[in-house]
Amino acid sequence: MAEVLKGMTERITPRQFHEADGVEDWRVLGEGACTYFRTGSFAAGARLVHAISQLAGIEDHHPDVDLRYGGVTVRLITITNDYYGLSERDVELARQISAVARKLGVPADPSAVWNVQVSIDALVGPEVLPFWRAVLGYRDRGDSPEDLIDPHGRGPLVYFQQMDAPRQQRNRIHIDVWVPHDQAEARIAAAIAAGGHLVTDKYAPSWWVLADAEGNEACLCTWMSRD
């Protein structure tokens, strides 16, 4: 029997989200689903945000909305004390938000979404994590002792990656860049064309390790698994 969230809403995987009907405007990045609406003006964006705020049940599942001059980014994620991911209600809300955007004549461009995560290699995570929690003003993520999150939802998630041994010739802090699964190849090609190189594709399509001309690494990530 599937685990059930508050409101009798079942958890779903990124693949289940993408296989659902009516979510073509959306892409899964990390644990959440995102899209970008090209409004063309601040006023048009404000009208879209207002329309989203009027959707039934929005108070029980508030999306993250970023209003800028040229467009609106929306991120959907289900958060409880022990879960940080997607659920069936994210699918339904995605459909409703896409519907109001179409009614307002606002096109979606899911190719424009991305997300950044900072990853810190740590031999003993519990010893270094409190420092970063304090200096960033972040808080623990309830379901994951390896993660810190911005309580205001502005800064990137910080992930503490367990090391088995010191790595003397490798940078210990790197950036994870989450992109839509259908944009990964283009982003990799652009990075290589800009002077970078591929370190390994061993973990693809979950992630590729890239590096700049001096060896500083970044991981390009998607929701897809290696299976």
Side-chain angles (χ1 to χ4, degrees):
M1 182 177 178
E3 292 188 77
V4 179
L5 301 176
K6 181 181 179 181
M8 300 302 291
T9 302
E10 294 185 0
R11 303 178 184 189
I12 62 172
T13 66
R15 184 173 300 279
Q16 288 173 317
F17 180 92
H18 277 294
E19 290 177 347
D21 293 330
V23 296
E24 295 78 13
D25 292 342
W26 301 77
R27 297 293 184 273
V28 175
L29 299 181
E31 292 102 343
C34 302
T35 195
Y36 179 75
F37 294 104
R38 294 194 178 278
T39 58
S41 72
F42 188 87
R47 287 192 291 271
L48 175 60
V49 174
H50 177 73
I52 293 172
S53 75
Q54 300 302 301
L55 290 173
I58 199 71
E59 290 300 324
D60 295 326
H61 190 184
H62 39 83
D64 291 332
V65 179
D66 183 3
L67 168 61
R68 302 298 174 102
Y69 176 80
V72 175
T73 302
V74 184
R75 180 171 182 258
L76 305 177
I77 189 169
T78 295
I79 301 174
T80 68
N81 290 333
D82 62 351
Y83 184 63
Y84 194 93
L86 291 164
S87 71
E88 288 181 345
R89 61 181 178 176
D90 294 303
V91 173
E92 181 57 30
L93 187 54
R95 292 169 177 154
Q96 293 179 31
I97 292 173
S98 290
V100 298
R102 286 192 296 271
K103 186 174 181 180
L104 292 172
V106 176
D109 181 6
S111 69
V113 297
W114 53 274
N115 192 33
V116 170
Q117 170 181 299
V118 177
S119 294
I120 299 175
D121 292 340
L123 287 171
V124 186
E127 292 186 1
V128 300
L129 188 147
F131 166 83
W132 291 99
R133 184 194 300 120
V135 75
L136 292 169
Y138 273 29
R139 64 175 176 83
D140 296 331
R141 201 180 94 176
D143 66 328
S144 176
E146 299 87 14
D147 294 316
L148 293 176
I149 58 175
D150 179 359
H152 304 292
R154 294 192 301 265
L157 180 147
V158 179
Y159 167 62
F160 294 84
Q161 181 170 280
Q162 180 64 50
M163 295 175 60
D164 297 325
R167 297 170 182 166
Q168 301 299 329
Q169 302 301 319
R170 180 181 175 187
N171 52 306
R172 297 278 297 277
I173 299 178
H174 68 273
I175 301 297
D176 291 337
V177 182
W178 291 84
V179 299
H181 63 279
D182 52 359
Q183 298 296 314
E185 290 186 8
R187 188 68 66 92
I188 292 167
I192 292 173
H197 65 275
L198 178 67
V199 175
T200 182
D201 60 1
K202 175 182 177 181
Y203 308 102
S206 293
W207 76 90
W208 294 257
V209 182
L210 305 167
D212 65 17
E214 294 189 357
N216 300 301
E217 294 179 0
C219 292
L220 196 76
C221 312
T222 77
W223 64 266
M224 300 184 74
S225 67
R226 287 179 283 167
D227 299 334

